[in-house]
Amino acid sequence: MNHADNPFLGQGLASTTLHPLGLEVEGGDGPWILLKGGGKLFDGISGIGVSNFGHGHPAIADSLHAQMDQNLHTMVYGEFIQDVQRQAAASLQASLPSHLDSVYFVNSGAEAVDVALKLAKRLTGRTKLMGVEGGYHGNTHGALSVSSNETRKAPFRPLLPEVSFLKWNDMADLAHIDANTAAVIVETVQGDAGIRIPNRAWLQALANTCRANGAMFVLDEIQCGMGRTGTTWAFSQFDVVPDILCMGKALGGGMPVGAVATCTHRMSQLAHSPSLGHITTFGGHPLACAGVRGAFKALAQVDMNQVETRCQAWQDALAAHRAVHQVRRLGAFIAVELANVDHVSRAVMSGLKPAQEGKTGVLMFWFLSVPHAFRLAPPLTATDEEMEKGLALVLEALDSVK
Ligand SMILES: Cc1ncc(COP(=O)(O)O)c(C=O)c1O
């Protein structure tokens, strides 16, 4: 195969697909991605749930600049301590229930998931792990093991042993959680499954069944957290609290960071028997923590009522479009179902086209596991005017679906 035309492989970079979009980025400004050649894109997906506060938010930029002038790296996480780590942890803890009073900053969402699984095994002395059908938790061997898309897992087996999956929203299936279960991990709102919102009673019963069996109830809010669903953490809308919480994506305000929160007593188990139960060179990196510090400042400025009003307007207009079969939404976390994958591809590519021609387009994107739907997750900081423009671009792209 000739890779010369691939903008990644052809230039000495790894590629994750043989047909990357390959748009050349110049910069970002609020909800806009600025392309080389003068085109711009409304960021309709916030970099898949990362740029919740848009591009170049002053609170995040200021926090990063201040830390850049002070220090970057000193030592593998867990020996030296820096103010910015304490400040990031304090901002995070102020947003969480009081029992989640200890945080481990790591490098990515998948690493946070791996830490949570390791911690659950260490805490319970058990080895059986459970995920939920439709769950996506990342691409390390551990995170992939508890994700449910078999097509994506099969080539990499063997993965972790003793992993099984609960049916989504199925009360009877909770009986599979037993005294050998170390943890059940579930996205509070499933992202890659097409923005699937759990039944409240089921999620509560899942949490209770874990507790009754001494298993850790692990919530993954890597994609649905940080204001995406209309509250800082989605679990607050379902009256459940996790034993262990995984975070990432928008947490760093655009910096690469993941985090695990639990209570201090539980977290302390990683410090002994063996010590260094999870070590990671760049964990708690000062610049990543400065991103977290800035992201919470940006989040505090978001008016969630306005986000709800704007996204309800998006939902109403999208649902009324002739090409749309269904819209699922919680806050600014949106799935738009069309008739089939061809319609999705046509809509997504039509959204991009004007920007490729030096004009204004919109970035929408596929789900890995739901081919007949596309995702929308606009920046929470977009103004009324920007959201109206973004919606007009999405509707225009949908008009291309015959
Ligand atoms: C719910 C969820 N968990 C975990 C991950 C993995 O995060 P990362 O890609 O930072 O490893 C993702 C990434 O899309 C995600 O959506």
Side-chain angles (χ1 to χ4, degrees), residues 168-169 186-190 195-208 217 219 221 224 229-231 233-242 329-331 333:
W168 178 252
N169 271 343
V186 61
E187 290 160 85
T188 313
V189 176
Q190 286 189 327
I195 318 302
R196 286 210 297 188
I197 303 162
N199 290 338
R200 201 182 164 76
W202 173 75
L203 197 61
Q204 291 174 354
L206 172 52
N208 291 337
F217 174 56
L219 283 180
E221 294 231 2
C224 66
T229 64
T231 46
W233 304 109
F235 63 77
S236 65
Q237 298 180 49
F238 296 90
D239 277 336
V240 291
V241 283
R329 176 182 78 87
L330 192 64
F333 208 24

Side-chain angles (χ1 to χ4, degrees), residues 95-386:
S95 76
L96 292 172
S98 56
H99 75 283
L100 299 177
D101 61 356
S102 182
V103 58
Y104 193 155
F105 288 116
V106 294
N107 300 286
S108 67
E111 190 187 2
V113 168
D114 276 16
V115 171
L117 300 179
K118 286 170 68 183
L119 186 57
K121 284 169 136 178
R122 172 74 181 78
L123 288 166
T124 60
R126 306 172 183 176
T127 46
K128 186 174 145 183
L129 297 167
M130 299 184 94
V132 174
E133 280 179 0
Y136 177 83
H137 301 287
N139 259 237
T140 57
H141 272 77
L144 197 58
S145 300
V146 290
S147 301
S148 86
N149 186 327
E150 187 52 35
T151 312
R152 306 208 157 263
K153 293 200 295 187
F156 305 108
R157 288 193 177 281
L159 295 169
L160 284 180
E162 296 183 71
V163 175
S164 56
F165 292 87
L166 292 168
K167 292 192 185 117
W168 178 252
N169 271 343
D170 187 320
M171 284 288 192
D173 217 38
L174 299 180
H176 289 109
I177 302 168
D178 62 23
N180 296 317
T181 309
V184 178
I185 182 165
V186 61
E187 290 160 85
T188 313
V189 176
Q190 286 189 327
D192 183 53
I195 318 302
R196 286 210 297 188
I197 303 162
N199 290 338
R200 201 182 164 76
W202 173 75
L203 197 61
Q204 291 174 354
L206 172 52
N208 291 337
T209 311
C210 284
R211 301 232 160 89
N213 285 280
M216 293 293 117
F217 174 56
V218 182
L219 283 180
D220 176 342
E221 294 231 2
I222 288 161
Q223 193 174 166
C224 66
M226 286 304 277
R228 178 51 56 200
T229 64
T231 46
T232 301
W233 304 109
F235 63 77
S236 65
Q237 298 180 49
F238 296 90
D239 277 336
V240 291
V241 283
D243 298 315
I244 302 175
L245 176 65
C246 299
M247 297 156 283
K249 288 193 180 267
L251 179 69
M255 291 301 292
V257 70
V260 178
T262 189
C263 69
T264 302
H265 170 69
R266 288 188 174 130
M267 193 68 91
S268 69
Q269 307 299 307
L270 289 177
H272 64 88
S273 322
S275 66
L276 313 177
H278 185 80
I279 45 170
T280 180
T281 298
F282 290 121
H285 189 275
L287 214 49
C289 287
V292 175
R293 181 176 65 184
F296 275 98
K297 285 193 180 138
L299 179 59
Q301 293 168 21
V302 172
D303 181 337
M304 287 298 177
N305 292 326
Q306 280 183 0
V307 171
E308 179 57 26
T309 308
R310 291 165 185 155
C311 290
Q312 182 65 57
W314 273 41
Q315 179 170 8
D316 294 343
L318 288 164
H321 194 281
R322 60 173 169 74
V324 174
H325 283 209
Q326 202 194 4
V327 181
R328 275 186 301 283
R329 176 182 78 87
L330 192 64
F333 208 24
I334 306 168
V336 183
E337 274 192 15
L338 306 185
N340 55 45
V341 62
D342 289 339
H343 285 194
V344 170
S345 292
R346 202 171 309 155
V348 171
M349 297 314 286
S350 303
L352 295 173
K353 199 159 178 260
Q356 287 162 323
E357 294 164 354
K359 293 183 280 217
T360 303
V362 60
L363 177 58
M364 316 184 292
F365 215 67
W366 294 265
F367 293 102
L368 286 177
S369 306
V370 192
H372 61 286
F374 66 88
R375 62 176 80 228
L376 289 171
L380 309 176
T381 46
T383 61
D384 280 343
E385 209 184 356
E386 289 163 342

